[in-house]
Amino acid sequence: DVKVTQSSRYLVKRTGEKVFLECVQDMDHENMFWYRQDPGLGLRLIYFSYDVKMKEKGDIPEGYSVSREKKERFSLILESASTNQTSMYLCASSLGWGRDEQFFGPGTRLTVL
Amino acid sequence: AQKVTQAQTEISVVEKEDVTLDCVYETRDTTYYLFWYKQPPSGELVFLIRRNSFDEQNEISGRYSWNFQKSTSSFNFTITASQVVDSAVYFCALSVLEYGNKLVFGAGTILRVKS
């Protein structure tokens, strides 16, 4: 079974803190993704990576950065957390593009106070 | 531009009722893929089905069926004889070449099945 794990299910941080969200997949997938899920907006793509050290901006990259130093690990970084970044963050991975389904982690619910 | 619309924000049914979740998509591309995902209360999205733009054949998997109609740009999902375990958020998503094959998600439909 493909397994995508995320470092925390719930996280509470203060405004201005640097926040790291970690994602690990165990199926040797090339592509990894970070989404943000908000009610009424569905999932919106923040960043994705198609190879180690490679990254591409998604639809809402502002205020976020990412790191992929190893194939199995994709980190999302909030350089200076703000209250409008309170959300559910979902990580996903896929073997290929287009037709290949994405496999999702359980999500991290981040609250920024 | 590519877009997915799930007009039904929330649907409530009683167990054993049939329910259809609507999905309408927009794209100018002729090659694309459509997906449905289920997000149970645990939070993890689960892949249900994929359809490519050249295959309009409807599909049935147990109590689940999908109706793909290019003429109306729709990819609707029907659950027959719904069960409480079907309660979840359901997302329709689109992948097109012009968007680099990234997934575009609809807003999701919350399905509540009451016993």
Side-chain angles (χ1 to χ4, degrees):
Chain A
D1 270 358
V2 175
K3 192 123 175 114
V4 179
T5 56
Q6 295 183 228
S7 49
S8 306
R9 290 300 305 269
Y10 299 93
L11 210 52
V12 179
K13 295 291 181 181
R14 297 208 173 272
T15 301
E17 278 193 78
K18 190 168 186 176
V19 182
F20 292 87
L21 302 183
E22 301 280 333
C23 175
V24 177
Q25 51 94 4
D26 65 0
M27 285 303 290
D28 203 35
H29 282 174
E30 300 292 331
N31 308 303
M32 296 188 75
F33 309 82
W34 275 107
Y35 294 91
R36 171 178 171 156
Q37 180 181 2
D38 299 288
L41 297 177
L43 277 70
R44 293 178 291 167
L45 183 64
I46 304 172
Y47 267 97
F48 66 99
S49 169
Y50 51 88
D51 201 353
V52 175
K53 297 191 187 294
M54 306 303 289
K55 60 185 179 185
E56 292 278 348
K57 292 180 180 179
D59 298 318
I60 52 165
E62 297 78 19
Y64 304 94
S65 62
V66 290
S67 172
R68 194 169 181 197
E69 297 296 319
K70 293 185 177 181
K71 191 175 185 179
E72 67 271 18
R73 190 179 297 269
F74 192 35
S75 302
L76 180 69
I77 303 152
L78 287 66
E79 295 290 341
S80 177
S82 63
T83 55
N84 63 12
Q85 291 179 310
T86 291
S87 187
M88 170 73 92
Y89 291 87
L90 292 163
C91 176
S93 71
S94 71
L95 182 60
W97 286 106
R99 69 178 304 277
D100 289 343
E101 68 265 33
Q102 294 184 13
F103 295 86
F104 285 81
T108 296
R109 186 164 293 282
L110 173 67
T111 301
V112 182
L113 302 175
Chain B
Q2 40 291 316
K3 185 179 176 183
V4 175
T5 301
Q6 294 180 255
Q8 303 150 308
T9 304
E10 187 168 335
I11 302 174
S12 287
V13 299
V14 177
E15 218 172 7
K16 297 184 184 175
E17 279 187 40
D18 298 347
V19 58
T20 296
L21 309 182
D22 297 334
C23 172
V24 174
Y25 62 93
E26 295 175 31
T27 179
R28 293 185 196 145
D29 209 306
T30 56
T31 303
Y32 51 88
Y33 296 89
L34 292 160
F35 300 80
W36 274 96
Y37 284 86
K38 173 182 180 180
Q39 185 181 39
S42 60
E44 191 170 319
L45 270 77
V46 176
F47 166 77
L48 294 177
I49 191 171
R50 169 188 52 239
R51 249 308 167 254
N52 75 56
S53 53
F54 300 108
D55 182 3
E56 286 195 72
Q57 190 171 5
N58 291 330
E59 180 151 343
I60 297 174
S61 176
R63 296 185 296 107
Y64 295 174
S65 63
W66 290 269
N67 182 283
F68 177 30
Q69 292 196 338
K70 287 176 77 170
S71 60
T72 55
S73 297
S74 65
F75 186 42
N76 296 337
F77 173 31
T78 296
I79 302 175
T80 302
S82 60
Q83 299 177 1
V84 172
V85 293
D86 295 326
S87 297
V89 184
Y90 290 87
F91 291 97
C92 181
L94 169 68
S95 171
V96 303
L97 183 62
E98 65 175 337
Y99 189 53
N101 285 316
K102 297 187 289 287
L103 278 179
V104 175
F105 283 85
T109 297
I110 301 170
L111 174 65
R112 302 190 198 280
V113 181
K114 301 174 186 176
S115 58

